[in-house]
Amino acid sequence: MPIYTLPDLPYDYSALAPVISPEIIELHHDKHHAAYVKGANDTLEQLAEARDKESWGSINGLEKNLAFHLSGHILHSIYWQNMTGPKDGGGEPLAQDGVGELAEAIRESFGSFAAFRTQLSKAAATTQGSGWGVLAYEPLSGRLIVEQVYDHQGNVGQGTTPILVFDAWEHAFYLQYRNQKVDFVEAMWQVVNWQDVARRYTAAKSRTDVLLLAP
């Protein structure tokens, strides 16, 4: 049975300051993300026990728990890699920085980088309760789309691959930004690692037959 593990941060706790404080990074990674990893592993064990005992009374709750914790683990694993220090990140993806393919895809899918930035910011900042704003590759159309993900797993197009994620849960910003989610989302653009986003876009685009649809 696969066991999920908490990935190491690609930088130290202070690397994203002043956009995100070291205290938030430590708590977010070491406590919250770790809890999703544990939750996914615990749920897999409980499902295995249910199969062994042919006891299916809790299957509905277990399947929901697995979707929640596993999606939380996956999105957070992308989130850490999607960011880099303010001196190296942020701005707009440009061809001269080696991310021209991504930049062109954003223009084709949204009309302009400014339009894309506004849509993703609005999606992240207006999540009701807890959720994410996500830039994803959609394989049926071959274009990029913005998704507003509730919790970690709701309201998602099947088959899409997330390549840039903005965490809009309160634990991602409240210690520093209080209830000003809009301010946090705006600040996030200073630490986007476009090199990582571009690599994810290229990998997602290169995958074929992701969705086997009936002719």
Side-chain angles (χ1 to χ4, degrees):
M1 181 179 296
I3 300 297
Y4 302 108
T5 59
L6 180 68
D8 293 333
L9 286 171
Y11 34 69
D12 60 39
Y13 295 137
S14 63
L16 304 179
V19 174
I20 307 178
S21 70
E23 183 182 16
I24 288 178
I25 296 296
E26 182 176 6
L27 288 170
H28 196 169
H29 176 266
D30 296 2
K31 301 298 183 182
H32 291 281
H33 189 174
Y36 301 130
V37 173
K38 184 178 186 303
N41 287 327
D42 288 350
T43 306
L44 286 178
E45 291 181 4
Q46 292 163 17
L47 284 165
E49 183 178 356
R51 291 193 300 273
D52 291 342
K53 296 181 177 180
E54 296 189 0
S55 176
W56 302 110
S58 60
I59 186 65
N60 187 51
L62 289 175
E63 294 291 358
K64 288 181 179 178
N65 285 343
L66 182 59
F68 177 84
H69 290 296
L70 180 53
S71 295
H73 172 40
I74 291 170
L75 287 171
H76 280 91
S77 296
I78 298 170
Y79 180 66
W80 306 123
Q81 299 291 333
N82 270 171
M83 296 185 290
T84 189
K87 292 183 179 179
D88 300 316
E92 179 178 349
L94 299 171
Q96 56 260 42
D97 297 325
V99 292
E101 186 180 12
L102 171 66
E104 181 59 28
I106 289 174
R107 284 192 293 271
E108 289 180 356
S109 297
F110 301 99
S112 68
F113 175 76
F116 152 68
R117 174 172 168 157
T118 299
Q119 184 177 344
L120 181 55
S121 292
K122 295 294 184 182
T126 61
T127 50
Q128 294 176 326
S130 301
W132 300 70
V134 174
L135 174 66
Y137 176 74
E138 198 286 288
L140 284 185
S141 64
R143 63 179 291 146
L144 296 171
I145 62 172
V146 164
E147 297 180 314
Q148 188 179 54
V149 180
Y150 287 93
D151 288 334
H152 302 305
Q153 76 281 13
N155 208 33
V156 177
Q158 296 296 316
T160 61
T161 301
I163 64 172
L164 173 62
V165 299
F166 279 15
D167 192 343
W169 282 63
E170 284 191 345
H171 65 238
F173 64 88
Y174 198 85
L175 284 175
Q176 185 174 356
Y177 292 85
R178 302 305 181 189
N179 63 336
Q180 299 303 313
K181 185 189 294 187
V182 171
D183 292 346
F184 171 67
V185 171
E186 184 61 26
M188 274 290 298
W189 290 103
Q190 300 176 48
V191 294
V192 174
N193 184 345
W194 291 116
Q195 298 294 328
D196 181 70
V197 179
R199 285 192 294 270
R200 293 178 186 278
Y201 171 66
T202 300
K205 188 178 179 181
S206 67
R207 295 167 61 195
T208 59
D209 297 328
V210 176
L211 296 176
L212 300 178
L213 302 179

